[in-house]
Every structure is written in structure tokens, then in C-alpha cells.
């Protein structure tokens, strides 16, 4: 199996795992405070990551790698989880999932800025078309109904794209799972510190769905998914493999409907179908 094929396969597995993130977060924030949820998921994943690094005796990253690891931690350990958790207090997971269609464009832009990739001009046409469809959907649903939720999701997409591109670039040096593990360990003292000043919820009032959501985002969304995702981006290219995120709304909407019984309109399905069609053209001109 060549590097590109392996990259796309790993990237697909990562997207499949990430697809459950927003429905799981939505379930968790019903009983957990967003700040507590962000701290808890990062702390649990950080403890697991530390164990992995110690068991496999991984060498410490160099000082030159610390800036990149800090960017990864800011983007995917703190920024995206916190912003999406806050957003999901205002919008449904089905609505927020469609914003994930903007992630390929954000990731590709930061892949150029941080990774030095240079996709064909036609690539940007398809990527921008997919993003325009997502933005149009948000406006059609009524942006004024919850501008706070929509703006928080947009901010989450931007910082996540930065974290994805930076992590992919660093993965070529450290390895995919090592990057996310070191980023989590680097964030661990900060998360513990924030946790000390966070009001703990009344755990007696937390239902099973919220606990399941917390477990999923801690183990799968925060750690296992990134092992496949960063490896995929490093092997197949940030801009190209990043387009697989256009598949994420399909999986996420299905999960939101099946697990949370949230309504999925024909407009949502139409938009997600249209943006997925854009990935074929974008993939062709990724390099």
C-alpha cells in the first residue's frame, strides 16, 4: 500500500471517529458545564496519553517542537472542544454538524500557511463552493435565531483547522500519535489548574447519556481519532485528505438523529450531499 492510499484510509477512520464528537458533546452538555466538560475530556485523555508515552518510552520533543505543540494544544485540545461545547448550549448538534463542512477549507488554508502545500487553483474553487453551501445553509436556517451559537462554531472551525494543519506538519517528524499525546500532556497542568477553579457538577444528577458522551469525547474524539487523523494528513497531504471532513456531516447527522432523536431536515441532507460532491473535484486538484 502506497503512502497516499494509506493516508486516505487513516484519514477516513479519523473522520468516522470524529463524526460522533458533536452528538456526544451535545449529550454531555445537557448535564455538564461546558468548561468542566472541556477540562475533564482533556484531563482524561492527557492521563491516557502520558501512560502511552511512558509505556512506549518515547523521547521528549525538542524545544523547537514546543511552539508547534502549543498551537496544536490551543487548537484541538482547548479551543475546539470549549467553543463547540459553548455553541451546543445554543444550537442543536444537527445544526452545528453542518458547520464541519467548513473544516476542509480552514485546514487547507492553514496547510498552505503552516505546511507549505500548494494546491491547484481549481482546488480552491471546489473548497470555496462547499464552504459557500454551508454558509448558505446557516443563513437559511436563520442566523439571527442563534448568532452566538453560529459564531462560536465558526471560531471553533478556524482554531481546529489551525490545530489540524500544525499537527499534520509536526507528525512527519514526531509521528501522528506522538503529536496528539505530547499536546495533551503539555495541556494537562493547565487543564488541572482550570479544573481546580471550576465548579463541579452534582454527579447524582448526571444521567447515563451525559456520562457516555463524556467518555466518548475523552477517549475517542480527544485521543484515538487523532492517531488516525494526523497520520492520514501527514501521509496523504493536509489539503487533500482534509477534504474527507466533508463526509463528517453525513455520519454526524445520522448519529444525531439516531441517538439524540434530533430532527434532520431535507435541507440538511441536501446541503451535506452537495458539499460531499465538492470533495471529488477538490481531491483531484489537491496537489
Amino acid at each position: 500500500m502506497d503512502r497516499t492510499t494509506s493516508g486516505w484510509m487513516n484519514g477516513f477512520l479519523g473522520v468516522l471517529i470524529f463524526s460522533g464528537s458533536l452528538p456526544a458533546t451535545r449529550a454531555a452538555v445537557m448535564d455538564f458545564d461546558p468548561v468542566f466538560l472541556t477540562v475533564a475530556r482533556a484531563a482524561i485523555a492527557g492521563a491516557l496519553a502520558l501512560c502511552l508515552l511512558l509505556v512506549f518510552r518515547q523521547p521528549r520533543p525538542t524545544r523547537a517542537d514546543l511552539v508547534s505543540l502549543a498551537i496544536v494544544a490551543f487548537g484541538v485540545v482547548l479551543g475546539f472542544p470549549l467553543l463547540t461545547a459553548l455553541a451546543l448550549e445554543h444550537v442543536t448538534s444537527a445544526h452545528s454538524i453542518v458547520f464541519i463542512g467548513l473544516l476542509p477549507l480552514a485546514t487547507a488554508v492553514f496547510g498552505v500557511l503552516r505546511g507549505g502545500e500548494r494546491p491547484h487553483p481549481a482546488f480552491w474553487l471546489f473548497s470555496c463552493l462547499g464552504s459557500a453551501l454551508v454558509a448558505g445553509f446557516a443563513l437559511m436556517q436563520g442566523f439571527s435565531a442563534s448568532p452566538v451559537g453560529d459564531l462560536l462554531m465558526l471560531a471553533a472551525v478556524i482554531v481546529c483547522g489551525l490545530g489540524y494543519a500544525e499537527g499534520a506538519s509536526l507528525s512527519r517528524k514526531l509521528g501522528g500519535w506522538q503529536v496528539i499525546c505530547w499536546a495533551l500532556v503539555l495541556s494537562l497542568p493547565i487543564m488541572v489548574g482550570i479544573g481546580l477553579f471550576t465548579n463541579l457538577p452534582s454527579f447524582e444528577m448526571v444521567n447515563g447519556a451525559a456520562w457516555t458522551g463524556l467518555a466518548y469525547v475523552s477517549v475517542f474524539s480527544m485521543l484515538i481519532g487523532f492517531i488516525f487523523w494526523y497520520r492520514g494528513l501527514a501521509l496523504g497531504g493536509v489539503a487533500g485528505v482534509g477534504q474527507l471532513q466533508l463526509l463528517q456531516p453525513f455520519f454526524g447527522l445520522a448519529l444525531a438523529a439516531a441517538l439524540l432523536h434530533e430532527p434532520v431536515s431535507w435541507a440538511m441532507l441536501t446541503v451535506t450531499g452537495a458539499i460531499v460532491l465538492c470533495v471529488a473535484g477538490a481531491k483531484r486538484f489537491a496537489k
Side-chain angles (χ1 to χ4, degrees):
M1 184 184 300
D2 59 38
R3 286 175 56 89
T4 301
T5 302
S6 178
W8 281 82
M9 289 184 65
N10 277 274
F12 178 80
L13 289 173
V15 166
L16 194 61
I17 293 171
F18 290 152
S19 296
S21 298
L22 290 179
T25 301
R26 175 67 173 175
V29 295
M30 290 180 180
D31 291 324
F32 289 119
D33 175 77
V35 175
F36 172 80
L37 178 62
T38 302
V39 171
R41 67 186 283 182
I44 293 170
L48 294 173
L50 181 59
C51 292
L52 286 173
L53 292 169
L54 292 174
V55 168
F56 291 100
R57 299 181 180 181
Q58 293 300 300
R60 294 181 181 178
T62 64
R63 288 187 178 181
D65 299 328
L66 292 180
V67 174
S68 290
L69 285 172
I71 292 174
V72 173
F74 170 75
V76 303
V77 178
L78 176 61
F80 184 76
L82 179 58
L83 290 170
T84 52
L86 291 170
L88 287 167
E89 289 191 314
H90 303 277
V91 298
T92 67
S93 62
H95 181 79
S96 65
I97 282 167
V98 183
F99 279 84
I100 301 303
L102 294 170
L103 260 177
L105 179 59
T107 304
V109 168
F110 285 114
V112 171
L113 296 176
R114 302 295 300 177
E117 296 190 2
R118 294 294 182 269
H120 191 278
F123 166 86
W124 298 108
L125 175 63
F126 286 104
S127 289
C128 289
L129 178 59
S131 298
L133 288 169
V134 174
F137 172 80
L139 291 172
M140 183 178 66
Q141 293 296 299
F143 184 82
S144 60
S146 182
V148 174
D150 286 346
L151 289 173
L152 285 168
M153 282 304 303
L154 286 173
V157 164
I158 292 172
V159 299
C160 189
L162 172 61
Y164 280 172
E166 193 70 28
S169 179
L170 191 57
S171 292
R172 299 186 182 103
K173 177 182 178 182
L174 298 182
W177 73 269
Q178 291 91 337
V179 167
I180 188 58
C181 283
W182 282 119
L184 286 165
V185 170
L186 185 66
S187 307
L188 192 55
I190 299 174
M191 293 301 170
V192 172
I194 296 174
L196 294 176
F197 295 96
T198 302
N199 292 325
L200 294 177
S202 176
F203 293 116
E204 294 82 5
M205 303 298 293
V206 178
N207 62 33
W211 283 115
T212 301
L214 174 59
Y216 188 92
V217 296
S218 300
V219 179
F220 291 93
S221 303
M222 199 85 266
L223 182 59
I224 297 176
F226 278 103
I227 294 174
F228 293 105
W229 183 239
Y230 277 148
R231 178 174 173 79
L233 292 175
L235 293 176
V238 174
V241 174
Q243 298 307 299
L244 283 170
Q245 294 166 107
L246 289 174
L247 297 174
Q248 191 167 328
F250 270 126
F251 303 131
L253 288 172
L255 287 170
L259 300 178
L260 301 178
H261 307 292
E262 292 186 355
V264 177
S265 67
W266 282 107
M268 291 180 185
L269 295 176
T270 301
V271 170
T272 52
I275 61 175
V276 167
L277 288 178
C278 293
V279 75
K283 177 180 179 295
R284 182 178 179 183
F285 298 103
K287 291 185 178 181

